[in-house]
């Protein structure tokens, strides 16, 4: 009998991503006994952060950091390379639907010396992985803190979140859904919206209720033609998007471009009838650094200088930023 895994929300825009893979700069692993484990990262061709992961003591292998996935995933190519036999099947939920996936049993999935997870793990392939070896979900993040520095190309995981100083950072309180998915309360010109944090997606998505709630209140609907995005199955046709400014507590996010649709994942999370936007790396990587405290349920950002980051070729996407509201 297939297990229900409730895994993931990944989506990859098939065209228009102009962020190229960046080589990892110096990010030396922290010495044994330190309060965190650190390692170099880079961005894949879609701009998502990639960490080096060991599977059953072998590796390292390239895994996309995915805060929208409550389980890690490995590619069929890697499973074959490691000689991992299928142990069963599980139902995997993605943006556009639910599909059966093969499972393999992992003895360990680790980042440096830090053990993150083990046990039955979905095996998937497709354009979504972009040639990487897997997705690093949040199944090993409970009680820990994930820190990604987008300018120094460094990822760090703290076992004790209190050991990382966040003084001077922008902080946004969050709630955990399904034990791992981060849900933040946002606001657009007085309209309250749900905001989901998903580093595994290179674009931002919103439901129809989000579009309807913002009609005439500071959001612009744009027709968008010939756009396709991929999860691990059928391509998604993108035909409309909303362009707006989003407020998260005292944090302002300029020029949020969210693609609108009746995406399955919003139904699965029980958010179909609530204005909800999933913000991906097109938004998150505008910050200099991002940290997620899974113990307290807080998302942190550090600002970049305005105009320091560019995503894509659209004129409206240049110079966008994440800044403190008091500075606006």
């Amino acid at each position: 009998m297939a297990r229900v895994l409730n895994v993931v929300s990944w989506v990859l825009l098939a065209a228009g991503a102009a962020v190229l893979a960046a080589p990892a700069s110096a990010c030396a692993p922290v010495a044994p006994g330190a309060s965190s484990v650190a390692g170099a990262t880079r961005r894949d061709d879609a701009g998502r952060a990639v960490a080096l992961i060991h599977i059953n003591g072998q590796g390292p292998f390239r895994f996309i950091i995915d805060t929208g996935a409550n389980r890690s995933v490995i590619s069929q190519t890697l499973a074959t390379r490691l000689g991992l036999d299928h142990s069963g099947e599980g139902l995997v939920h993605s943006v556009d639907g639910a599909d059966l996936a093969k499972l393999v049993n992992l003895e360990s999935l680790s980042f440096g010396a830090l053990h993150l997870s083990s046990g039955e793990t979905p095996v998937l392939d497709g354009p979504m992985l972009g040639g990487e070896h897997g997705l690093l979900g949040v199944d090993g993040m409970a009680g820990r803190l994930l820190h990604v520095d987008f300018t120094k190309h460094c990822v760090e995981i703290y076992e004790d979140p209190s050991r990382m100083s966040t003084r001077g950072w922008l902080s946004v309180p969050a709630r955990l859904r399904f034990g791992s998915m981060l849900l933040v309360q946002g606001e657009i010109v007085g309209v309250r919206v749900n905001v989901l944090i998903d580093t595994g997606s290179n674009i931002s998505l919103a439901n129809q209720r989000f579009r309807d709630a913002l009609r005439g209140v500071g959001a612009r609907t744009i027709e968008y033609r010939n756009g396709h995005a991929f999860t691990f199955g059928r391509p998604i046709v993108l035909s409309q998007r909303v362009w707006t400014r989003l407020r998260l507590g005292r944090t302002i996010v300029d020029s949020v471009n969210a693609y609108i649709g009746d995406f399955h994942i919003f139904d699965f999370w029980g958010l179909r009838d609530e204005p909800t936007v999933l913000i991906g790396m097109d938004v998150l990587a505008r910050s200099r650094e991002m940290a997620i405290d899974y113990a307290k349920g807080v998302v942190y950002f550090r600002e970049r200088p305005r105009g320091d980051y560019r995503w894509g070729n659209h004129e409206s996407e240049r110079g966008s930023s994440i800044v403190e509201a008091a500075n606006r």
Side-chain angles (χ1 to χ4, degrees):
M1 180 177 179
R3 303 150 180 81
V4 179
L5 299 178
N6 309 342
V7 176
V8 72
S9 61
W10 343 274
V11 63
L12 175 66
L13 184 63
V19 180
L20 300 179
S25 59
C27 179
V30 178
S35 58
S36 68
V37 175
T41 186
R42 66 174 181 82
R43 288 185 289 169
D44 71 355
D45 289 342
R48 299 169 298 179
V50 175
L52 298 178
I53 298 297
H54 285 79
I55 301 294
N56 296 349
Q58 299 184 59
F61 304 108
R62 302 183 308 274
F63 276 56
I64 298 163
I65 299 172
D66 190 351
T67 60
N70 68 345
R71 294 282 297 277
S72 295
V73 168
I74 73 168
S75 69
Q76 180 60 63
T77 301
L78 180 57
T80 301
R81 176 176 170 180
L82 296 177
L84 300 173
D85 295 327
H86 294 153
S87 59
E89 290 184 329
L91 190 62
V92 173
H93 289 268
S94 63
V95 168
D96 61 331
D99 295 284
L100 284 175
K102 299 294 185 182
L103 304 176
V104 293
N105 192 44
L106 299 185
E107 295 177 7
S108 67
L109 184 153
S110 58
F111 175 59
L114 185 63
H115 175 83
L116 295 177
S117 65
S118 60
E120 291 188 320
T121 302
V123 179
L124 294 167
D125 264 320
M128 176 58 202
L129 282 179
E132 307 297 351
H133 295 121
L135 298 175
L136 179 62
V138 299
D139 37 341
M141 298 297 175
R144 293 168 169 167
L145 182 144
L146 171 67
H147 169 221
V148 182
D149 189 319
F150 298 114
T151 58
K152 294 182 179 179
H153 309 293
C154 184
V155 60
E156 195 171 16
I157 300 176
Y158 285 78
E159 291 204 77
D160 180 358
S162 67
R163 300 295 296 274
M164 176 177 162
S165 174
T166 53
R167 184 176 182 180
W169 290 52
L170 305 176
S171 64
V172 183
R175 293 185 290 122
L176 295 179
R177 295 287 293 261
F178 299 105
S180 58
M181 189 66 185
L182 290 164
L183 181 66
V184 174
Q185 287 298 311
E187 181 183 314
I188 300 174
V189 196
V191 178
R192 295 186 64 183
V193 298
N194 297 316
V195 181
L196 299 162
I197 308 296
D198 189 355
T199 61
S201 176
N202 74 325
I203 60 175
S204 297
L205 303 172
N207 59 10
Q208 299 282 3
R209 187 70 185 89
F210 178 87
R211 181 200 60 189
D212 296 342
L214 298 182
R215 290 189 188 278
V217 291
R220 182 154 61 95
T221 299
I222 305 167
E223 296 302 318
Y224 182 81
R225 302 187 185 280
N226 301 319
H228 290 79
F230 289 88
T231 59
F232 284 96
R234 301 165 296 277
I236 305 169
V237 177
L238 304 173
S239 60
Q240 193 176 75
R241 63 181 180 176
V242 166
W243 180 29
T244 189
R245 173 186 288 186
L246 174 66
R247 181 171 185 141
L248 306 173
R250 294 188 59 81
T251 302
I252 293 289
V253 184
D254 278 335
S255 304
V256 175
N257 284 275
Y259 296 89
I260 306 299
D262 288 320
F263 301 117
H264 164 78
I265 204 67
F266 293 119
D267 291 339
F268 175 72
W269 286 325
L271 297 172
R272 178 186 179 88
D273 297 324
E274 300 178 32
T276 304
V277 58
L278 179 152
I279 57 175
M281 287 295 287
D282 58 325
V283 172
L284 301 172
R286 298 176 193 173
S287 62
R288 176 182 170 185
E289 300 173 62
M290 181 184 77
I292 301 174
D293 186 334
Y294 284 95
K296 293 182 178 179
V298 181
V299 182
Y300 297 96
F301 298 102
R302 288 190 71 187
E303 299 179 41
R304 287 178 185 257
R306 185 165 178 79
D308 181 53
Y309 180 73
R310 172 183 159 185
W311 178 278
N313 293 319
H314 196 281
E315 188 67 32
S316 68
E317 295 167 345
R318 300 180 187 181
S320 54
S321 58
I322 295 179
V323 299
E324 186 175 5
N327 294 339
R328 301 299 294 172

